[in-house]
Every structure is written in structure tokens, then in C-alpha cells.
Amino acid sequence: MSIESNARLVERFFEEMINRENAAIIPELMHPDVIIHDPFMGTLCGIEAFHQLIGIFNSAFPSHRVKVEQTIAQGDLVAALHTHYATHTGPFMGMAPTHREIVVTGLELFRIEDDQVVEFWRKDDDAGMLMQLGALPAPSSA
């Protein structure tokens, strides 16, 4: 696979899976034994674990959207700088819906082999998200 095709695969991940809400594409984009690194869930393996991760966010933030700001590809790795736009209308980590609109930036890393994601690191600004939801206090200006 070329670096360009790796970058296109990651762009499809965001556009088709998130923005078009097409979870059916996951088996095409993700290796069955994909390794997932996530701050909330830890390190997990397999497409079902990925479905669980996506389900957490889709339940709490249905119809959220993402804008990919930049992708950088080198070898079998692609990094994607992106911004999520969402409204909190479902339960999230024990929190009732707040109906707050949030904007969450992130930088995710994908390792790709044979036209599929084999490893995925989610590095969204979870602290910023929790502050926007009122679950964490905003930093004080001392």
C-alpha cells in the first residue's frame, strides 16, 4: 500500500463511519484483530471492541460530526488531526444528558497493513470534553 492510499483509508474512516454513520464499513476498514488503545477503555483487541468504543460515543452524542484538519502519513502510520462537533443527548460514563454542544479536538494514530487498520490510538481531548460537559471543573486563572 502506498502512503497516499493509507491516508485515504483514514479519511474514509472519518467521513464514512462517523459523518455518514455507516458502521457497516468497519469490517472493511479494520482488521478483525485490530488493537485499540483508548484512554477510557484501555487496550483492547478486535472489531467487537471497536464497536463498543464507537457505541459509547454514538449513544451519548448521536449524529456527531468530525472535521479532519490534517493527515500526515509515513510508512504504515497515519496521524489525523481532527475536531469533533457534538451535542450531549444520551448517557455518557454515568452522566445524564446535558444537551450541551461540545467541540473536541483530537489527534489519532492509525497503523495500516494490507488496506486495513491493524492498530488505533484515540487521543481526543477528553479532559476538555469533560469540562465542557460540566463533569470536571475548568482550570482556575490564578
Side-chain angles (χ1 to χ4, degrees), residues 63-116:
S63 302
H64 81 283
R65 295 295 175 256
V66 65
K67 179 182 179 191
V68 175
E69 313 292 343
Q70 181 72 50
T71 58
I72 299 172
Q74 180 176 340
D76 62 352
L77 297 173
V78 178
L81 179 65
H82 60 282
T83 304
H84 293 276
Y85 300 89
T87 303
H88 180 213
T89 58
F92 181 67
M93 299 180 65
M95 232 184 310
T98 63
H99 301 281
R100 292 181 181 179
E101 292 182 9
I102 62 171
V103 176
V104 180
T105 58
L107 181 65
E108 291 172 347
L109 184 64
F110 301 78
R111 187 167 62 84
I112 300 168
E113 289 180 6
D114 299 324
D115 295 328
Q116 288 189 309

Side-chain angles (χ1 to χ4, degrees), residues 6-22 25 29-30 50 54 64-71 78-84 104 106-110 117 120-124:
N6 287 350
R8 280 193 303 276
L9 185 144
V10 169
E11 290 165 4
R12 285 185 64 209
F13 173 91
F14 287 106
E15 184 56 36
E16 294 184 37
M17 191 190 66
I18 295 176
N19 291 342
R20 294 185 189 164
E21 301 178 23
N22 181 10
I25 198 168
L29 300 180
M30 312 287 280
F50 188 77
I54 293 300
H64 81 283
R65 295 295 175 256
V66 65
K67 179 182 179 191
V68 175
E69 313 292 343
Q70 181 72 50
T71 58
V78 178
L81 179 65
H82 60 282
T83 304
H84 293 276
V104 180
L107 181 65
E108 291 172 347
L109 184 64
F110 301 78
V117 176
F120 170 75
W121 292 262
R122 188 182 71 79
K123 298 293 182 182
D124 292 332

Side-chain angles (χ1 to χ4, degrees), residues 33-80:
D33 296 321
V34 61
I35 300 167
I36 302 151
H37 305 276
D38 181 77
F40 291 144
M41 295 181 66
T43 300
L44 304 167
C45 185
I47 286 181
E48 184 55 40
F50 188 77
H51 278 287
Q52 290 172 4
L53 173 63
I54 293 300
I56 290 170
F57 291 99
N58 286 345
S59 295
F61 310 100
S63 302
H64 81 283
R65 295 295 175 256
V66 65
K67 179 182 179 191
V68 175
E69 313 292 343
Q70 181 72 50
T71 58
I72 299 172
Q74 180 176 340
D76 62 352
L77 297 173
V78 178

